[in-house]
Amino acid sequence: MSTFDTIPKTKQEALVETLLRLADDRLILGHRISEWAGHGPELEEDLALANIALDMIGHASALYTYAAELEGKADEDHYAYFRDDIDFKNIALCELPRGDFAFTIARIFLFSTFSYFLYQKLIDIVEDEQFNGMLQKHFKEIKYHLRHSREWVLRLGDGTDESHQRAQDAFNEIWMYTGELFNLDEVDQVAIQKNLFVDTLDFREEWEKLVVDTLEEATLNVPDMEQYMFSGSRQGRHTEHLGRLLAEMQFLRRSYPDAEWK
Amino acid sequence: MDSPEKLEEFQQRIDNGEKIEPKDWMPERYRKQLIRIMSQHAHSEIVGMLPEGNWITRAPSLKRKMVLLAKVQDEAGHGLYLYSGTETLGVKRQDLVEDYLYGNAKYSSIFNYPTLTYADICVIGWLVDGAAIVNQTMLAKSSYGPYSRANVRICKEESFHKKQGYEMLAKMADGTPEQQKMAQDAVNRWWWPTLMMFGPHDTDSPNSAELIKWGVKTKTNDELRQHFVDRMVMEAEAIGIELPDPDLTYNEETGHWEFGDIPWDEFWSVVKGDGPMNRERMKARRKAYEEGEWVREAAKEYARKKRLQDEKAS
Amino acid sequence: MTKNSSENTEWPLWEVFYQPKDGKPFEHAGSVHAPDAELALQNARDTYARRNEGIAFWVVPSDQIVASSPEDQGPFFDPANDKPYRHPQFYSVPRAVKKRK
């Protein structure tokens, strides 16, 4: 737990925390992917990356909107624009700089694979109708992100020598940030008790299998699973990158907070 | 050489309002002109992603962030439709792209100006897309089928671009003093370059007459510009924005708004490469193209390997 | 400054057809570049269904499309012009049957 956090007591508090954690991941990663707009490796892929970014930011926006309703905040922008980096609960994997196309694909693939299993399980247990409705709607898009990124992992891994090397470097570099996908803290535990979240370790093997199978099919080596893993982001202990990302994202809105910007 | 009979027959088809399709006979010069203007149009959409893309990560609300990203993505789509249309004339997209990245092919000069504040995004939507719609509505009636169809599709999508810009600009013009200042400043900077988007005066536009004769265009640069100005004067007034032209006056007789002299020296200078952002825009596009090369190669190589495997298996 | 595209990294061209609604015939949407069929389908979706214009796609390598040529226009299509018996309007139906429709 970070210094300022308290463990949610009521079901509603647990729900808000869960919504924010899911939303923060998606906003921050969507933001990173949006940096490709106009700079993609081919026109068709520029469109594809923009679609994925739009989906993720859209998911975040819907989740924030619901949290704002529950907490009586003005709107979704309250969470995106008026919180500091230590308040954001996204995992570090999402905030790392854009990187090259191989890094982008590796990150979308690892994250979408995780989201795929997570949403699948959540849809089964979440009783809150509004939350469940969102999960179902977003799940369809997550399946596409998984399909698109998986196909690209195969092409980069089993393409040219250069693409193979870049893909291998990307997975090696990013691997230490995958541990956080499966870290559960006390907030998660409360959410699990209240049927708002699931024990991610329950599907860790499935996740690993899909990742390992894909990497092998792509002729890539699976990075060392026992290596040091970064942790702490869910408690607000981020990398140095998030602060800069937020400085850019929030500056205009915070400079003129009383102006109408919607 | 194109025989006079064939040319006559072709002109007859154009005059009858028939659409020309890729496999139809066409004068070599018609084909060349189409390739030139269609690919220029496509390049403009792609370079146009950059000034707006500049604000995606700083958009002031999640709604505006998504709107802007969707709009920039649409421009990639529009570029793609237009390149598709041009490819029906037997040219390769990669060659066209390299023509503007490394050769002399042009794109719309409007994108060689910087987006300094978020109000620029609104003004691009309102003025620049507004001007583009005027142009593309005409091009949707173009005599070349694939170009006409690409523009029909583009026009359908483009009206959202203009509306979102005008809506947000109206809010800024009616907002805090800082927002009002940004809004007016952006209009001041973009107004004249937008008028230049329609191209030189008819008297200085060597290609215009030919393009009209062949039905590629149906209106002259000056007609389109006038139509645009008449509309914008009204829309500016409605939201309390001033257009930076002291000579704007309504002519009762013609029913049109007369406007001051367009700074053509600036226009020609930017067209020739000396605008505030020409070099940076080209640098960014070349970088994307060159850094994308290994990705394009990888996918091609993967496809080749799979084909070989399939052949072996069968 | 000059780049020579002797190294051709362009992906092949595919024609895209989409079905606007369930049960409707497929229509030509445009084209995309893609290295293979799977990515051609994905690129078609990302390009031509940004506003749900289509619910299903076909992609075909452009060089596999065989089109009739303008010279064929006479021999291909004129003969059908004098076969009115192929069109339902050719037949008269008793009034009582018409009403029931």
PDB file of all heavy atoms in Angstrom, chain A residues 13-27 60 63-68 71 76 78-80 83 87-90 131 234:
ATOM      1  N   GLU A  13     -16.487   1.094  -2.578  1.00  0.00           N
ATOM      2  CA  GLU A  13     -15.085   1.540  -2.591  1.00  0.00           C
ATOM      3  C   GLU A  13     -14.198   0.555  -3.352  1.00  0.00           C
ATOM      4  O   GLU A  13     -13.304   0.942  -4.098  1.00  0.00           O
ATOM      5  CB  GLU A  13     -14.565   1.691  -1.147  1.00  0.00           C
ATOM      6  CG  GLU A  13     -15.062   2.948  -0.462  1.00  0.00           C
ATOM      7  CD  GLU A  13     -14.762   2.950   1.045  1.00  0.00           C
ATOM      8  OE1 GLU A  13     -14.042   2.055   1.522  1.00  0.00           O
ATOM      9  OE2 GLU A  13     -15.265   3.853   1.724  1.00  0.00           O
ATOM     10  N   ALA A  14     -14.478  -0.712  -3.160  1.00  0.00           N
ATOM     11  CA  ALA A  14     -13.690  -1.742  -3.854  1.00  0.00           C
ATOM     12  C   ALA A  14     -13.936  -1.678  -5.356  1.00  0.00           C
ATOM     13  O   ALA A  14     -13.017  -1.836  -6.163  1.00  0.00           O
ATOM     14  CB  ALA A  14     -14.048  -3.121  -3.313  1.00  0.00           C
ATOM     15  N   LEU A  15     -15.187  -1.408  -5.711  1.00  0.00           N
ATOM     16  CA  LEU A  15     -15.524  -1.304  -7.132  1.00  0.00           C
ATOM     17  C   LEU A  15     -14.800  -0.126  -7.775  1.00  0.00           C
ATOM     18  O   LEU A  15     -14.208  -0.244  -8.849  1.00  0.00           O
ATOM     19  CB  LEU A  15     -17.049  -1.173  -7.300  1.00  0.00           C
ATOM     20  CG  LEU A  15     -17.570  -0.957  -8.722  1.00  0.00           C
ATOM     21  CD1 LEU A  15     -17.082  -2.045  -9.674  1.00  0.00           C
ATOM     22  CD2 LEU A  15     -19.108  -0.916  -8.732  1.00  0.00           C
ATOM     23  N   VAL A  16     -14.816   1.018  -7.085  1.00  0.00           N
ATOM     24  CA  VAL A  16     -14.139   2.203  -7.624  1.00  0.00           C
ATOM     25  C   VAL A  16     -12.658   1.907  -7.830  1.00  0.00           C
ATOM     26  O   VAL A  16     -12.087   2.200  -8.893  1.00  0.00           O
ATOM     27  CB  VAL A  16     -14.341   3.420  -6.696  1.00  0.00           C
ATOM     28  CG1 VAL A  16     -13.406   4.558  -7.091  1.00  0.00           C
ATOM     29  CG2 VAL A  16     -15.788   3.880  -6.745  1.00  0.00           C
ATOM     30  N   GLU A  17     -12.021   1.313  -6.847  1.00  0.00           N
ATOM     31  CA  GLU A  17     -10.592   0.991  -6.966  1.00  0.00           C
ATOM     32  C   GLU A  17     -10.329   0.073  -8.160  1.00  0.00           C
ATOM     33  O   GLU A  17      -9.372   0.263  -8.915  1.00  0.00           O
ATOM     34  CB  GLU A  17     -10.084   0.304  -5.693  1.00  0.00           C
ATOM     35  CG  GLU A  17      -9.665   1.271  -4.589  1.00  0.00           C
ATOM     36  CD  GLU A  17      -8.592   2.253  -5.040  1.00  0.00           C
ATOM     37  OE1 GLU A  17      -7.559   1.797  -5.574  1.00  0.00           O
ATOM     38  OE2 GLU A  17      -8.794   3.467  -4.871  1.00  0.00           O
ATOM     39  N   THR A  18     -11.185  -0.916  -8.317  1.00  0.00           N
ATOM     40  CA  THR A  18     -11.011  -1.855  -9.428  1.00  0.00           C
ATOM     41  C   THR A  18     -11.161  -1.139 -10.765  1.00  0.00           C
ATOM     42  O   THR A  18     -10.371  -1.332 -11.696  1.00  0.00           O
ATOM     43  CB  THR A  18     -12.040  -3.005  -9.324  1.00  0.00           C
ATOM     44  OG1 THR A  18     -11.913  -3.601  -8.042  1.00  0.00           O
ATOM     45  CG2 THR A  18     -11.809  -4.046 -10.400  1.00  0.00           C
ATOM     46  N   LEU A  19     -12.194  -0.294 -10.863  1.00  0.00           N
ATOM     47  CA  LEU A  19     -12.414   0.448 -12.103  1.00  0.00           C
ATOM     48  C   LEU A  19     -11.204   1.312 -12.431  1.00  0.00           C
ATOM     49  O   LEU A  19     -10.749   1.371 -13.578  1.00  0.00           O
ATOM     50  CB  LEU A  19     -13.662   1.349 -11.973  1.00  0.00           C
ATOM     51  CG  LEU A  19     -15.019   0.648 -11.841  1.00  0.00           C
ATOM     52  CD1 LEU A  19     -16.106   1.658 -11.458  1.00  0.00           C
ATOM     53  CD2 LEU A  19     -15.392  -0.074 -13.132  1.00  0.00           C
ATOM     54  N   LEU A  20     -10.670   1.984 -11.420  1.00  0.00           N
ATOM     55  CA  LEU A  20      -9.545   2.894 -11.665  1.00  0.00           C
ATOM     56  C   LEU A  20      -8.289   2.136 -12.088  1.00  0.00           C
ATOM     57  O   LEU A  20      -7.547   2.587 -12.960  1.00  0.00           O
ATOM     58  CB  LEU A  20      -9.254   3.743 -10.421  1.00  0.00           C
ATOM     59  CG  LEU A  20     -10.338   4.752 -10.051  1.00  0.00           C
ATOM     60  CD1 LEU A  20      -9.910   5.587  -8.838  1.00  0.00           C
ATOM     61  CD2 LEU A  20     -10.684   5.668 -11.217  1.00  0.00           C
ATOM     62  N   ARG A  21      -8.069   0.993 -11.473  1.00  0.00           N
ATOM     63  CA  ARG A  21      -6.873   0.219 -11.853  1.00  0.00           C
ATOM     64  C   ARG A  21      -6.950  -0.237 -13.305  1.00  0.00           C
ATOM     65  O   ARG A  21      -5.988  -0.121 -14.048  1.00  0.00           O
ATOM     66  CB  ARG A  21      -6.719  -0.986 -10.927  1.00  0.00           C
ATOM     67  CG  ARG A  21      -6.233  -0.571  -9.564  1.00  0.00           C
ATOM     68  CD  ARG A  21      -6.152  -1.694  -8.568  1.00  0.00           C
ATOM     69  NE  ARG A  21      -5.559  -1.156  -7.344  1.00  0.00           N
ATOM     70  CZ  ARG A  21      -4.756  -1.833  -6.540  1.00  0.00           C
ATOM     71  NH1 ARG A  21      -4.468  -3.083  -6.810  1.00  0.00           N
ATOM     72  NH2 ARG A  21      -4.247  -1.258  -5.476  1.00  0.00           N
ATOM     73  N   LEU A  22      -8.123  -0.736 -13.683  1.00  0.00           N
ATOM     74  CA  LEU A  22      -8.291  -1.170 -15.076  1.00  0.00           C
ATOM     75  C   LEU A  22      -8.158   0.030 -16.013  1.00  0.00           C
ATOM     76  O   LEU A  22      -7.527  -0.045 -17.066  1.00  0.00           O
ATOM     77  CB  LEU A  22      -9.668  -1.821 -15.279  1.00  0.00           C
ATOM     78  CG  LEU A  22      -9.884  -3.197 -14.643  1.00  0.00           C
ATOM     79  CD1 LEU A  22     -11.351  -3.610 -14.782  1.00  0.00           C
ATOM     80  CD2 LEU A  22      -8.988  -4.244 -15.301  1.00  0.00           C
ATOM     81  N   ALA A  23      -8.768   1.135 -15.622  1.00  0.00           N
ATOM     82  CA  ALA A  23      -8.794   2.317 -16.488  1.00  0.00           C
ATOM     83  C   ALA A  23      -7.396   2.916 -16.653  1.00  0.00           C
ATOM     84  O   ALA A  23      -6.990   3.274 -17.756  1.00  0.00           O
ATOM     85  CB  ALA A  23      -9.756   3.357 -15.933  1.00  0.00           C
ATOM     86  N   ASP A  24      -6.661   3.017 -15.557  1.00  0.00           N
ATOM     87  CA  ASP A  24      -5.328   3.634 -15.631  1.00  0.00           C
ATOM     88  C   ASP A  24      -4.422   2.875 -16.605  1.00  0.00           C
ATOM     89  O   ASP A  24      -3.721   3.486 -17.414  1.00  0.00           O
ATOM     90  CB  ASP A  24      -4.681   3.679 -14.239  1.00  0.00           C
ATOM     91  CG  ASP A  24      -5.334   4.725 -13.333  1.00  0.00           C
ATOM     92  OD1 ASP A  24      -6.161   5.515 -13.838  1.00  0.00           O
ATOM     93  OD2 ASP A  24      -5.035   4.733 -12.119  1.00  0.00           O
ATOM     94  N   ASP A  25      -4.456   1.549 -16.532  1.00  0.00           N
ATOM     95  CA  ASP A  25      -3.653   0.746 -17.468  1.00  0.00           C
ATOM     96  C   ASP A  25      -3.982   1.133 -18.905  1.00  0.00           C
ATOM     97  O   ASP A  25      -3.106   1.330 -19.741  1.00  0.00           O
ATOM     98  CB  ASP A  25      -3.979  -0.754 -17.318  1.00  0.00           C
ATOM     99  CG  ASP A  25      -3.234  -1.404 -16.163  1.00  0.00           C
ATOM    100  OD1 ASP A  25      -2.309  -0.767 -15.612  1.00  0.00           O
ATOM    101  OD2 ASP A  25      -3.579  -2.550 -15.807  1.00  0.00           O
ATOM    102  N   ARG A  26      -5.274   1.213 -19.164  1.00  0.00           N
ATOM    103  CA  ARG A  26      -5.719   1.421 -20.544  1.00  0.00           C
ATOM    104  C   ARG A  26      -5.491   2.841 -21.044  1.00  0.00           C
ATOM    105  O   ARG A  26      -5.140   3.043 -22.202  1.00  0.00           O
ATOM    106  CB  ARG A  26      -7.185   0.995 -20.669  1.00  0.00           C
ATOM    107  CG  ARG A  26      -7.280  -0.497 -20.758  1.00  0.00           C
ATOM    108  CD  ARG A  26      -8.482  -1.173 -20.188  1.00  0.00           C
ATOM    109  NE  ARG A  26      -8.204  -2.621 -20.204  1.00  0.00           N
ATOM    110  CZ  ARG A  26      -7.549  -3.268 -19.234  1.00  0.00           C
ATOM    111  NH1 ARG A  26      -7.150  -2.629 -18.143  1.00  0.00           N
ATOM    112  NH2 ARG A  26      -7.275  -4.539 -19.367  1.00  0.00           N
ATOM    113  N   LEU A  27      -5.665   3.798 -20.171  1.00  0.00           N
ATOM    114  CA  LEU A  27      -5.402   5.172 -20.601  1.00  0.00           C
ATOM    115  C   LEU A  27      -3.920   5.357 -20.925  1.00  0.00           C
ATOM    116  O   LEU A  27      -3.549   5.913 -21.961  1.00  0.00           O
ATOM    117  CB  LEU A  27      -5.808   6.176 -19.504  1.00  0.00           C
ATOM    118  CG  LEU A  27      -5.400   7.619 -19.818  1.00  0.00           C
ATOM    119  CD1 LEU A  27      -6.103   8.129 -21.076  1.00  0.00           C
ATOM    120  CD2 LEU A  27      -5.695   8.545 -18.645  1.00  0.00           C
ATOM    121  N   ALA A  60     -10.913   3.131 -21.035  1.00  0.00           N
ATOM    122  CA  ALA A  60     -10.559   3.887 -19.829  1.00  0.00           C
ATOM    123  C   ALA A  60     -11.634   4.930 -19.533  1.00  0.00           C
ATOM    124  O   ALA A  60     -12.105   5.061 -18.395  1.00  0.00           O
ATOM    125  CB  ALA A  60      -9.198   4.558 -20.019  1.00  0.00           C
ATOM    126  N   LEU A  63     -14.750   3.399 -18.034  1.00  0.00           N
ATOM    127  CA  LEU A  63     -14.522   2.943 -16.662  1.00  0.00           C
ATOM    128  C   LEU A  63     -14.432   4.131 -15.697  1.00  0.00           C
ATOM    129  O   LEU A  63     -15.008   4.123 -14.609  1.00  0.00           O
ATOM    130  CB  LEU A  63     -13.235   2.105 -16.591  1.00  0.00           C
ATOM    131  CG  LEU A  63     -13.252   0.762 -17.350  1.00  0.00           C
ATOM    132  CD1 LEU A  63     -11.834   0.261 -17.622  1.00  0.00           C
ATOM    133  CD2 LEU A  63     -14.040  -0.295 -16.567  1.00  0.00           C
ATOM    134  N   TYR A  64     -13.723   5.179 -16.095  1.00  0.00           N
ATOM    135  CA  TYR A  64     -13.634   6.399 -15.267  1.00  0.00           C
ATOM    136  C   TYR A  64     -15.015   7.028 -15.076  1.00  0.00           C
ATOM    137  O   TYR A  64     -15.341   7.526 -14.001  1.00  0.00           O
ATOM    138  CB  TYR A  64     -12.750   7.450 -15.947  1.00  0.00           C
ATOM    139  CG  TYR A  64     -11.251   7.198 -15.910  1.00  0.00           C
ATOM    140  CD1 TYR A  64     -10.461   7.550 -17.007  1.00  0.00           C
ATOM    141  CD2 TYR A  64     -10.625   6.676 -14.789  1.00  0.00           C
ATOM    142  CE1 TYR A  64      -9.085   7.368 -16.996  1.00  0.00           C
ATOM    143  CE2 TYR A  64      -9.237   6.482 -14.776  1.00  0.00           C
ATOM    144  CZ  TYR A  64      -8.477   6.831 -15.873  1.00  0.00           C
ATOM    145  OH  TYR A  64      -7.117   6.650 -15.860  1.00  0.00           O
ATOM    146  N   THR A  65     -15.796   7.046 -16.145  1.00  0.00           N
ATOM    147  CA  THR A  65     -17.111   7.671 -16.062  1.00  0.00           C
ATOM    148  C   THR A  65     -17.960   6.985 -14.992  1.00  0.00           C
ATOM    149  O   THR A  65     -18.637   7.635 -14.201  1.00  0.00           O
ATOM    150  CB  THR A  65     -17.828   7.590 -17.431  1.00  0.00           C
ATOM    151  OG1 THR A  65     -17.015   8.270 -18.391  1.00  0.00           O
ATOM    152  CG2 THR A  65     -19.192   8.248 -17.395  1.00  0.00           C
ATOM    153  N   TYR A  66     -17.868   5.656 -14.973  1.00  0.00           N
ATOM    154  CA  TYR A  66     -18.631   4.912 -13.976  1.00  0.00           C
ATOM    155  C   TYR A  66     -18.097   5.206 -12.570  1.00  0.00           C
ATOM    156  O   TYR A  66     -18.874   5.435 -11.628  1.00  0.00           O
ATOM    157  CB  TYR A  66     -18.582   3.418 -14.295  1.00  0.00           C
ATOM    158  CG  TYR A  66     -19.491   2.566 -13.448  1.00  0.00           C
ATOM    159  CD1 TYR A  66     -20.652   3.096 -12.854  1.00  0.00           C
ATOM    160  CD2 TYR A  66     -19.210   1.213 -13.235  1.00  0.00           C
ATOM    161  CE1 TYR A  66     -21.482   2.308 -12.089  1.00  0.00           C
ATOM    162  CE2 TYR A  66     -20.045   0.426 -12.467  1.00  0.00           C
ATOM    163  CZ  TYR A  66     -21.176   0.969 -11.885  1.00  0.00           C
ATOM    164  OH  TYR A  66     -22.001   0.190 -11.115  1.00  0.00           O
ATOM    165  N   ALA A  67     -16.779   5.243 -12.432  1.00  0.00           N
ATOM    166  CA  ALA A  67     -16.189   5.551 -11.124  1.00  0.00           C
ATOM    167  C   ALA A  67     -16.626   6.936 -10.662  1.00  0.00           C
ATOM    168  O   ALA A  67     -16.947   7.146  -9.486  1.00  0.00           O
ATOM    169  CB  ALA A  67     -14.664   5.471 -11.205  1.00  0.00           C
ATOM    170  N   ALA A  68     -16.666   7.889 -11.593  1.00  0.00           N
ATOM    171  CA  ALA A  68     -17.057   9.259 -11.246  1.00  0.00           C
ATOM    172  C   ALA A  68     -18.503   9.293 -10.758  1.00  0.00           C
ATOM    173  O   ALA A  68     -18.838   9.999  -9.802  1.00  0.00           O
ATOM    174  CB  ALA A  68     -16.878  10.173 -12.461  1.00  0.00           C
ATOM    175  N   GLU A  71     -18.530   7.892  -7.239  1.00  0.00           N
ATOM    176  CA  GLU A  71     -17.877   8.744  -6.241  1.00  0.00           C
ATOM    177  C   GLU A  71     -18.426  10.155  -6.205  1.00  0.00           C
ATOM    178  O   GLU A  71     -17.978  10.978  -5.410  1.00  0.00           O
ATOM    179  CB  GLU A  71     -16.366   8.830  -6.544  1.00  0.00           C
ATOM    180  CG  GLU A  71     -15.604   7.582  -6.187  1.00  0.00           C
ATOM    181  CD  GLU A  71     -14.137   7.896  -5.899  1.00  0.00           C
ATOM    182  OE1 GLU A  71     -13.466   8.435  -6.799  1.00  0.00           O
ATOM    183  OE2 GLU A  71     -13.697   7.618  -4.772  1.00  0.00           O
ATOM    184  N   GLU A  76     -15.194  11.801 -16.053  1.00  0.00           N
ATOM    185  CA  GLU A  76     -14.029  10.932 -16.278  1.00  0.00           C
ATOM    186  C   GLU A  76     -12.714  11.719 -16.251  1.00  0.00           C
ATOM    187  O   GLU A  76     -11.677  11.196 -15.838  1.00  0.00           O
ATOM    188  CB  GLU A  76     -14.181  10.177 -17.609  1.00  0.00           C
ATOM    189  CG  GLU A  76     -14.114  11.012 -18.907  1.00  0.00           C
ATOM    190  CD  GLU A  76     -15.407  11.722 -19.281  1.00  0.00           C
ATOM    191  OE1 GLU A  76     -16.335  11.763 -18.432  1.00  0.00           O
ATOM    192  OE2 GLU A  76     -15.496  12.257 -20.403  1.00  0.00           O
ATOM    193  N   HIS A  78     -11.762  13.966 -14.343  1.00  0.00           N
ATOM    194  CA  HIS A  78     -11.232  14.155 -12.996  1.00  0.00           C
ATOM    195  C   HIS A  78     -10.067  13.204 -12.740  1.00  0.00           C
ATOM    196  O   HIS A  78      -9.034  13.591 -12.205  1.00  0.00           O
ATOM    197  CB  HIS A  78     -12.343  13.910 -11.961  1.00  0.00           C
ATOM    198  CG  HIS A  78     -11.827  13.735 -10.568  1.00  0.00           C
ATOM    199  ND1 HIS A  78     -11.459  14.800  -9.778  1.00  0.00           N
ATOM    200  CD2 HIS A  78     -11.549  12.613  -9.844  1.00  0.00           C
ATOM    201  CE1 HIS A  78     -10.997  14.337  -8.618  1.00  0.00           C
ATOM    202  NE2 HIS A  78     -11.045  13.022  -8.635  1.00  0.00           N
ATOM    203  N   TYR A  79     -10.246  11.961 -13.155  1.00  0.00           N
ATOM    204  CA  TYR A  79      -9.212  10.951 -12.886  1.00  0.00           C
ATOM    205  C   TYR A  79      -8.038  11.079 -13.854  1.00  0.00           C
ATOM    206  O   TYR A  79      -6.900  10.884 -13.476  1.00  0.00           O
ATOM    207  CB  TYR A  79      -9.811   9.548 -12.997  1.00  0.00           C
ATOM    208  CG  TYR A  79     -10.949   9.324 -12.034  1.00  0.00           C
ATOM    209  CD1 TYR A  79     -12.265   9.297 -12.483  1.00  0.00           C
ATOM    210  CD2 TYR A  79     -10.705   9.169 -10.669  1.00  0.00           C
ATOM    211  CE1 TYR A  79     -13.325   9.106 -11.600  1.00  0.00           C
ATOM    212  CE2 TYR A  79     -11.754   8.980  -9.778  1.00  0.00           C
ATOM    213  CZ  TYR A  79     -13.053   8.950 -10.251  1.00  0.00           C
ATOM    214  OH  TYR A  79     -14.093   8.775  -9.375  1.00  0.00           O
ATOM    215  N   ALA A  80      -8.314  11.404 -15.104  1.00  0.00           N
ATOM    216  CA  ALA A  80      -7.243  11.453 -16.098  1.00  0.00           C
ATOM    217  C   ALA A  80      -6.380  12.698 -15.920  1.00  0.00           C
ATOM    218  O   ALA A  80      -5.165  12.642 -16.086  1.00  0.00           O
ATOM    219  CB  ALA A  80      -7.837  11.428 -17.504  1.00  0.00           C
ATOM    220  N   ARG A  83      -5.106  13.924 -11.252  1.00  0.00           N
ATOM    221  CA  ARG A  83      -4.387  13.108 -10.271  1.00  0.00           C
ATOM    222  C   ARG A  83      -2.901  13.137 -10.612  1.00  0.00           C
ATOM    223  O   ARG A  83      -2.525  13.310 -11.773  1.00  0.00           O
ATOM    224  CB  ARG A  83      -4.893  11.656 -10.296  1.00  0.00           C
ATOM    225  CG  ARG A  83      -6.294  11.490  -9.685  1.00  0.00           C
ATOM    226  CD  ARG A  83      -6.702  10.028  -9.652  1.00  0.00           C
ATOM    227  NE  ARG A  83      -6.639   9.469 -10.995  1.00  0.00           N
ATOM    228  CZ  ARG A  83      -6.460   8.190 -11.259  1.00  0.00           C
ATOM    229  NH1 ARG A  83      -6.296   7.313 -10.289  1.00  0.00           N
ATOM    230  NH2 ARG A  83      -6.421   7.757 -12.503  1.00  0.00           N
ATOM    231  N   ASP A  87      -0.742   8.819  -7.654  1.00  0.00           N
ATOM    232  CA  ASP A  87      -2.139   8.377  -7.541  1.00  0.00           C
ATOM    233  C   ASP A  87      -2.527   7.381  -8.628  1.00  0.00           C
ATOM    234  O   ASP A  87      -3.524   6.682  -8.520  1.00  0.00           O
ATOM    235  CB  ASP A  87      -3.099   9.564  -7.649  1.00  0.00           C
ATOM    236  CG  ASP A  87      -2.794  10.645  -6.634  1.00  0.00           C
ATOM    237  OD1 ASP A  87      -2.445  10.279  -5.492  1.00  0.00           O
ATOM    238  OD2 ASP A  87      -2.901  11.837  -6.978  1.00  0.00           O
ATOM    239  N   PHE A  88      -1.763   7.396  -9.719  1.00  0.00           N
ATOM    240  CA  PHE A  88      -2.100   6.489 -10.831  1.00  0.00           C
ATOM    241  C   PHE A  88      -1.746   5.060 -10.460  1.00  0.00           C
ATOM    242  O   PHE A  88      -0.702   4.816  -9.855  1.00  0.00           O
ATOM    243  CB  PHE A  88      -1.364   6.917 -12.109  1.00  0.00           C
ATOM    244  CG  PHE A  88      -2.175   7.866 -12.954  1.00  0.00           C
ATOM    245  CD1 PHE A  88      -2.283   9.215 -12.607  1.00  0.00           C
ATOM    246  CD2 PHE A  88      -2.860   7.407 -14.057  1.00  0.00           C
ATOM    247  CE1 PHE A  88      -3.053  10.085 -13.365  1.00  0.00           C
ATOM    248  CE2 PHE A  88      -3.641   8.275 -14.831  1.00  0.00           C
ATOM    249  CZ  PHE A  88      -3.729   9.616 -14.480  1.00  0.00           C
ATOM    250  N   LYS A  89      -2.610   4.112 -10.840  1.00  0.00           N
ATOM    251  CA  LYS A  89      -2.453   2.713 -10.437  1.00  0.00           C
ATOM    252  C   LYS A  89      -2.078   1.797 -11.593  1.00  0.00           C
ATOM    253  O   LYS A  89      -2.137   0.591 -11.464  1.00  0.00           O
ATOM    254  CB  LYS A  89      -3.761   2.209  -9.787  1.00  0.00           C
ATOM    255  CG  LYS A  89      -4.228   3.026  -8.609  1.00  0.00           C
ATOM    256  CD  LYS A  89      -3.230   2.942  -7.469  1.00  0.00           C
ATOM    257  CE  LYS A  89      -3.419   4.036  -6.423  1.00  0.00           C
ATOM    258  NZ  LYS A  89      -4.751   4.128  -5.874  1.00  0.00           N
ATOM    259  N   ASN A  90      -1.741   2.395 -12.736  1.00  0.00           N
ATOM    260  CA  ASN A  90      -1.367   1.538 -13.864  1.00  0.00           C
ATOM    261  C   ASN A  90      -0.047   0.845 -13.592  1.00  0.00           C
ATOM    262  O   ASN A  90       0.773   1.342 -12.806  1.00  0.00           O
ATOM    263  CB  ASN A  90      -1.226   2.385 -15.132  1.00  0.00           C
ATOM    264  CG  ASN A  90      -0.107   3.390 -15.017  1.00  0.00           C
ATOM    265  OD1 ASN A  90      -0.273   4.398 -14.339  1.00  0.00           O
ATOM    266  ND2 ASN A  90       1.027   3.115 -15.622  1.00  0.00           N
ATOM    267  N   PHE A 131     -20.878  -2.616 -14.797  1.00  0.00           N
ATOM    268  CA  PHE A 131     -19.476  -3.025 -14.928  1.00  0.00           C
ATOM    269  C   PHE A 131     -19.380  -4.218 -15.875  1.00  0.00           C
ATOM    270  O   PHE A 131     -18.574  -4.232 -16.819  1.00  0.00           O
ATOM    271  CB  PHE A 131     -18.934  -3.348 -13.537  1.00  0.00           C
ATOM    272  CG  PHE A 131     -17.462  -3.693 -13.483  1.00  0.00           C
ATOM    273  CD1 PHE A 131     -16.572  -3.238 -14.450  1.00  0.00           C
ATOM    274  CD2 PHE A 131     -16.962  -4.456 -12.427  1.00  0.00           C
ATOM    275  CE1 PHE A 131     -15.215  -3.554 -14.383  1.00  0.00           C
ATOM    276  CE2 PHE A 131     -15.605  -4.775 -12.358  1.00  0.00           C
ATOM    277  CZ  PHE A 131     -14.740  -4.334 -13.337  1.00  0.00           C
ATOM    278  N   ARG A 234       1.221  -0.425  -8.852  1.00  0.00           N
ATOM    279  CA  ARG A 234      -0.174  -0.408  -8.395  1.00  0.00           C
ATOM    280  C   ARG A 234      -0.311   0.366  -7.084  1.00  0.00           C
ATOM    281  O   ARG A 234      -1.396   0.771  -6.710  1.00  0.00           O
ATOM    282  CB  ARG A 234      -0.688  -1.834  -8.177  1.00  0.00           C
ATOM    283  CG  ARG A 234      -0.843  -2.618  -9.445  1.00  0.00           C
ATOM    284  CD  ARG A 234      -2.288  -2.621  -9.941  1.00  0.00           C
ATOM    285  NE  ARG A 234      -2.461  -3.573 -11.028  1.00  0.00           N
ATOM    286  CZ  ARG A 234      -2.735  -3.229 -12.286  1.00  0.00           C
ATOM    287  NH1 ARG A 234      -2.883  -1.959 -12.615  1.00  0.00           N
ATOM    288  NH2 ARG A 234      -2.868  -4.146 -13.209  1.00  0.00           N
TER     289      ARG A 234
END
